Amino acid sequence: MNRVNKFVAALVLMPVLALNNMLSAQTNQSMENKVNTIFNQLTLEQKIGQMTQIASTNGDEVPQYVIDAIKEGRVGSILNAGTPKAIEKIQKIVAKESPNKIPLIIGRDVIHGYKTIFPIPLGQAASWNRKLVETGANIAGKEAYDEGINWTFAPMIDISRDPRWGRIAESLGEDPYLTAELGTAMVVGFQGNELSSEKGRIAACAKHFIGYGATENGKDYNAVSIPDYQLWNTYLPPFKAALDAGVGTFMTAFNDINGIPASANQFLLKEVLREKWNFDGFVVSDWESMSQMINQGYSENLRDVALQSASAQLDMEMVSSAYQKHLKELVESGEIDIEIVNTAVKNILRVKVALGLFEQEYNGVPKDTEILSATHKAEAKKMAIESLVLLKNENILPLKIKNQKIGIVGPLADAPAEQVGTWSLDAVIDEVVTPFNAFQEAFGDQIVFAQGLENARSNKTDQIQATVDAMKGVKDVIVFAGEDAILSGEGHSRAFINLPGAQEALIDALAEADKNIILVVQAGRPLTLGTIEDKVNAILYAWHPGTMGGPAILDVITGKVTPSGKLPVTFPRTLGQVPIYYSSIESGRPANPQMLGIPTGTPLDPVGLTNNYLDVSVTPAYAFGYGLSYTSFSISKPKLSNTELVKGEKISVTVEVKNTGKYEGAEVVQLYIHDKVASYMRPKLELKGFEKVYLAPGESKKVTFEIGDDQLSFFDKNGNVLLEKGKFEIFVGNASDNLASEIITLKDIK
Ligand code: BGC
């Protein structure tokens, strides 16, 4: 046999997996060769250029400072590079006039859609639908790619348990498992199964590493303290999951963690991310998060900043210029080992090579782009529908609309720019379909519209009476209230989380006029609705639902589709309960959840000496995982394949879920565990699995979850995995406060 035939024979005989491994090793090797070839041409200044990201400006023009930086090889990435025209110009300057012709990686915040806007991430998380979340990211990425963008700063997988924090809107909620599952879906949606040069694929960025959501008192950019064992068990897992899904880049957080800024945190960036997790993509700082270490009192000057961040192996600096100004001298003085710079540059080049940037030539918007296509809008509508959570329904929904007049009221009924929510930089507002648009199109003259308030923040009550008057002869009124887009997002935290402005007064007035009120809340966070809840007949939580929010809300209110969203975050009754989350740790004096507060004047007695409040129940307004439907479901008691297992074995837990009502619908079956005794106190409940099941009336399906080492183990304070024998309670149900359980025992672990 000649050599070629021998090779072919070997290929034929080789098991597929081994063949795949061999091919991917070859691809990796050839990629690495390419990285090295490019790398070898670079001077120290040019290497530092690759480690620098600068912000451009929106519009068709490329500012002179950007052109100069490119021509002088002082930049590796641009964010907010402008229109496709500007990006085309930029890439042409790179190709013709830059010293090494290394393409720039063009970054932008494509967070929940590019031009077709999907619901805010917190809303998407309420769908509990991995596939839809993946599709949403995929469409966002494709639209952005068509306009010359190669890299998004998403997903944000910060665990968020404080609804005051404005960026909770951009998060996937309070739970590490749900965040990991949906964050991973986003990574795959943007990148595919790995970084690739395929058309429409862009690099994702796991942000913000780490702890940004644990910001003290809910204010943005505040200090963060996280005990080590919580870091490992609550905050790190979604990032590890993103890494396992192949995420190309990480972004550091603005905050410190226990006194050390994330952007200079050697423990997190070196020990965890590089040494323990073997991450080989690149890490970017957040916007000036490096230079801000001076304000934080960690660095004396920019030179310090460069030294501290480079020592932590932070690869690329966003916007500030510590590396540009000082990295060279730090290398020359020996304070920074050149190998740190070399590794950073290779990490960056590796991503550029994997994305195929060296082969791409960007020529403005391609003609066949699907931006804002009917397909993209249909997907955005599907996602919006599944993100809607029905919190309350007193036999009014679905609303039967025959010939009667329907009131459409409220500052968010016809507010397209508010409906897209935070981080909608590229939203095309004219394309947004509001609830008012959708209802009017469906019911024409039957719709009686009155905005009631100028916007959701307005305290002016002068239109309220006129609104009530306009509703004369109208019984069913749909009130669109909540938060304007600007009330959540980065730097937009609130100290009160009730309905802002005079919205409560508007609802009060309609309630006094004896209307049937369906309250639709669009907001970037859980709101405390207080006494409003008793005055309305139904509450549909819509978050900020995006471009197709109007038609989605129409379909759900009229019963064309049954709501199926479930809360990804606990809703407090009142701000004083914050932080409130389902997976807290049990007290030595557990609360009595039936106790709704202790009447004033009651002497302190044993009833009071529990983990309760004096003035409010300990239970939330709405629990994590909660959400109503128009139909009803039964979930059978969990059936276990065994009640005992040892390390390495698995037990399966099966339930039968049945649609026992009249409508087609979907139920989210949720699996939780509680480790009853452990060397670290474990949460009362931890989500470990979920499946969304779509059922016709009368239909039933079996849902099976597997429980083994992964579900039963946890981390100690040093990040070691602990799998401890003993009893575990396994819960299955349709909300964290509506569960049935069984006990299993993990035996004899050696
Ligand atoms: C945000 C990041 C964002 C970056 C770039 C920062 O202010 O914290 O999440 O990706 O800006 O726009």
Side-chain angles (χ1 to χ4, degrees):
M1 247 194 292
N2 66 25
R3 274 179 55 205
V4 173
N5 284 349
K6 262 192 204 157
F7 180 67
V8 171
L11 284 188
V12 171
L13 295 173
M14 196 177 271
V16 175
L17 194 64
L19 177 63
N20 282 343
N21 286 345
M22 192 186 91
L23 292 176
S24 95
Q26 278 175 359
T27 320
N28 287 346
Q29 193 48 52
S30 77
M31 268 185 25
E32 222 40 44
N33 291 345
K34 183 153 192 187
V35 166
N36 287 328
T37 312
I38 304 158
F39 171 83
N40 288 335
Q41 304 163 6
L42 304 181
T43 63
L44 179 56
E45 286 88 342
Q46 290 160 355
K47 288 177 186 173
I48 295 168
Q50 287 302 307
M51 296 170 70
T52 302
Q53 182 185 53
I54 58 176
S56 186
T57 50
N58 292 321
D60 288 344
E61 292 315 315
V62 186
Q64 194 55 44
Y65 70 88
V66 175
I67 297 176
D68 293 345
I70 299 173
K71 288 187 180 169
E72 289 158 26
R74 285 191 280 108
V75 57
S77 171
I78 292 186
L79 84 158
N80 303 338
T83 60
K85 240 185 174 171
I87 295 178
E88 190 185 353
K89 278 185 202 159
I90 286 173
Q91 300 291 33
K92 288 213 162 107
I93 302 171
V94 173
K96 296 203 178 100
E97 298 178 74
S98 73
N100 308 98
K101 324 239 173 313
I102 300 177
L104 296 167
I105 179 164
I106 307 286
R108 191 160 177 85
D109 292 282
V110 182
I111 306 293
H112 54 108
Y114 180 64
K115 294 204 161 158
T116 308
I117 303 294
F118 284 68
I120 53 170
L122 192 59
Q124 294 193 35
S127 74
W128 293 57
N129 186 327
R130 299 170 178 93
K131 196 69 216 158
L132 279 185
V133 171
E134 181 185 324
T135 305
N138 182 248
I139 288 173
K142 275 186 176 155
E143 291 194 353
Y145 176 95
D146 281 352
E147 298 221 333
I149 290 155
N150 327 111
W151 178 25
T152 177
F153 306 122
M156 183 182 114
I157 45 180
D158 296 312
I159 298 303
S160 313
R161 294 176 171 174
D162 193 330
R164 292 171 296 184
W165 189 48
R167 289 194 93 165
I168 195 170
E170 195 187 344
S171 82
L172 297 165
E174 74 181 43
D175 184 65
Y177 178 78
L178 185 63
T179 300
E181 289 293 296
L182 302 182
T184 300
M186 284 187 177
V187 170
V188 175
F190 287 123
Q191 297 188 168
N193 289 327
E194 56 186 2
L195 281 180
S196 92
S197 55
E198 211 180 288
K199 192 167 174 284
R201 295 295 187 186
I202 62 174
C205 181
K207 75 183 189 187
H208 305 84
F209 197 65
I210 201 172
Y212 187 29
T215 182
E216 201 170 280
N217 63 25
K219 271 192 295 180
D220 213 349
Y221 318 122
N222 222 2
V224 166
S225 307
I226 303 177
D228 283 350
Y229 82 96
Q230 253 186 35
L231 192 67
W232 283 104
N233 287 291
T234 305
Y235 292 90
L236 285 167
F239 286 88
K240 177 62 167 52
L243 183 135
D244 290 342
V247 74
T249 70
F250 271 61
M251 184 188 292
T252 60
F254 285 119
N255 51 278
D256 69 302
I257 301 101
N258 309 328
I260 314 283
S263 296
N265 202 303
Q266 299 203 17
F267 165 66
L268 288 164
L269 297 178
K270 274 172 68 173
E271 285 179 45
V272 177
L273 191 55
R274 298 293 180 185
E275 286 159 26
K276 200 171 168 91
W277 291 356
N278 296 320
F279 178 59
D280 70 353
F282 73 85
V283 179
V284 65
S285 77
D286 202 345
W287 185 293
E288 294 178 340
S289 68
M290 283 172 52
S291 61
Q292 287 164 18
M293 296 194 301
I294 300 173
N295 293 343
Q296 286 170 304
Y298 191 73
S299 319
E300 200 164 329
N301 48 39
L302 270 191
R303 189 180 191 279
D304 257 9
V305 167
L307 177 63
Q308 290 164 322
S309 292
S311 303
Q313 295 184 5
L314 199 166
D315 304 311
M316 184 184 278
E317 178 171 12
M318 185 188 280
V319 178
S320 54
S321 53
Y323 282 169
Q324 268 303 305
K325 295 197 172 119
H326 300 287
L327 198 48
K328 184 167 178 247
E329 81 194 59
L330 288 166
V331 170
E332 285 167 354
S333 69
E335 286 161 276
I336 289 292
D337 187 340
I338 183 67
E339 276 317 309
I340 287 189
V341 171
N342 292 348
T343 306
V345 174
K346 286 183 190 174
N347 291 340
I348 293 164
L349 291 176
R350 194 171 297 121
V351 171
K352 291 186 175 182
V353 169
L355 282 174
L357 300 189
F358 290 86
E359 287 79 44
Q360 278 168 23
E361 206 177 301
Y362 185 68
N363 292 322
V365 191
K367 299 221 164 27
D368 60 350
T369 178
E370 276 197 79
I371 290 176
L372 283 162
S373 68
T375 321
H376 289 190
K377 286 184 187 169
E379 287 297 334
K381 180 177 167 188
K382 260 195 231 166
M383 179 79 252
I385 286 174
E386 294 214 12
S387 74
L388 299 175
V389 186
L390 183 62
L391 295 179
K392 171 177 178 173
N393 187 15
E394 275 173 355
N395 294 325
I396 189 165
L397 293 178
L399 190 64
K400 302 211 170 46
I401 304 180
K402 295 199 176 111
N403 300 317
Q404 82 271 35
K405 298 264 185 207
I406 299 293
I408 298 284
V409 169
L412 297 176
D414 192 25
E418 312 307 331
Q419 187 172 316
V420 291
T422 184
W423 276 136
S424 302
L425 301 176
D426 300 287
V428 181
I429 299 303
D430 285 351
E431 295 280 339
V432 174
V433 189
T434 65
F436 170 66
N437 301 147
F439 275 85
Q440 210 190 31
E441 165 140 16
F443 299 106
D445 290 350
Q446 282 171 261
I447 299 303
V448 184
F449 174 65
Q451 194 164 305
L453 295 170
E454 205 180 312
N455 57 47
R457 287 158 291 156
S458 169
N459 284 312
K460 281 199 218 143
T461 51
D462 56 344
Q463 291 174 39
I464 291 183
Q465 190 51 48
T467 303
V468 175
D469 294 346
M471 294 302 131
K472 207 162 169 224
V474 180
K475 187 68 186 162
D476 301 319
V477 177
I478 312 174
V479 179
F480 292 87
E483 294 182 316
D484 299 321
I486 201 174
L487 287 180
S488 61
E490 185 175 346
H492 291 78
S493 295
R494 294 180 63 199
F496 294 98
I497 53 166
N498 53 346
L499 279 176
Q503 295 184 96
E504 290 195 15
L506 175 65
I507 296 168
D508 276 348
L510 289 164
E512 267 160 36
D514 202 24
K515 305 296 173 195
N516 291 333
I517 301 176
I518 296 160
L519 175 63
V520 179
V521 182
Q522 295 185 40
R525 56 164 63 75
L527 295 179
T528 48
L529 297 171
T531 55
I532 291 296
E533 307 199 51
D534 302 328
K535 297 177 186 159
V536 301
N537 305 71
I539 305 173
L540 186 66
Y541 219 80
W543 319 98
H544 286 128
T547 306
M548 297 302 285
I553 292 169
L554 171 76
D555 282 5
V556 166
I557 286 188
T558 56
K560 194 164 171 208
V561 209
T562 303
S564 63
K566 300 278 183 176
L567 295 178
V569 60
T570 305
F571 273 45
R573 291 171 188 269
T574 177
L575 191 59
Q577 290 181 312
V578 170
I580 180 170
Y581 52 97
Y582 84 91
S583 57
S584 55
I585 278 166
E586 189 55 283
S587 156
R589 293 185 174 197
N592 171 1
Q594 262 73 53
M595 221 157 79
L596 298 174
I598 302 170
T600 337
T602 310
L604 269 187
D605 61 23
V607 180
L609 300 178
T610 56
N611 185 221
N612 285 71
Y613 288 112
L614 288 177
D615 42 9
V616 69
S617 161
V618 287
T619 61
Y622 302 104
F624 176 83
Y626 168 86
L628 300 172
S629 173
Y630 296 157
T631 192
S632 51
F633 296 96
S634 66
I635 300 181
S636 67
K637 264 193 85 137
K639 241 200 220 148
L640 305 178
S641 62
N642 204 338
T643 54
E644 292 180 352
L645 76 171
V646 296
K647 186 178 174 183
E649 282 182 352
K650 287 196 162 119
I651 282 183
S652 65
V653 185
T654 305
V655 292
E656 184 159 286
V657 48
K658 181 168 184 189
N659 183 342
T660 51
K662 292 191 302 234
Y663 300 90
E664 221 174 84
E667 181 61 296
V668 179
V669 185
Q670 303 163 34
L671 171 85
Y672 297 82
I673 67 151
H674 171 57
D675 185 344
K676 292 185 88 67
V677 181
S679 53
Y680 288 78
M681 288 152 57
R682 302 299 303 142
K684 283 182 253 188
L685 286 174
E686 282 180 279
L687 183 71
K688 291 289 175 182
F690 63 87
E691 197 174 320
K692 193 161 188 173
V693 188
Y694 297 79
L695 295 170
E699 196 187 354
S700 58
K701 266 189 197 151
K702 281 207 165 88
V703 174
T704 299
F705 300 103
E706 299 246 286
I707 295 181
D709 297 359
D710 285 352
Q711 288 71 30
L712 302 180
S713 58
F714 63 97
F715 295 98
D716 70 5
K717 68 178 171 39
N718 300 315
N720 301 311
V721 177
L722 296 181
L723 184 60
E724 298 181 338
K725 67 178 179 183
K727 291 199 179 345
F728 293 80
E729 196 163 358
I730 307 297
F731 301 83
V732 185
N734 69 353
S736 64
D737 64 350
N738 187 27
L739 301 165
S741 76
E742 291 289 344
I743 301 284
I744 63 167
T745 308
L746 181 64
K747 291 183 25 179
D748 292 319
I749 304 166
K750 297 265 163 2

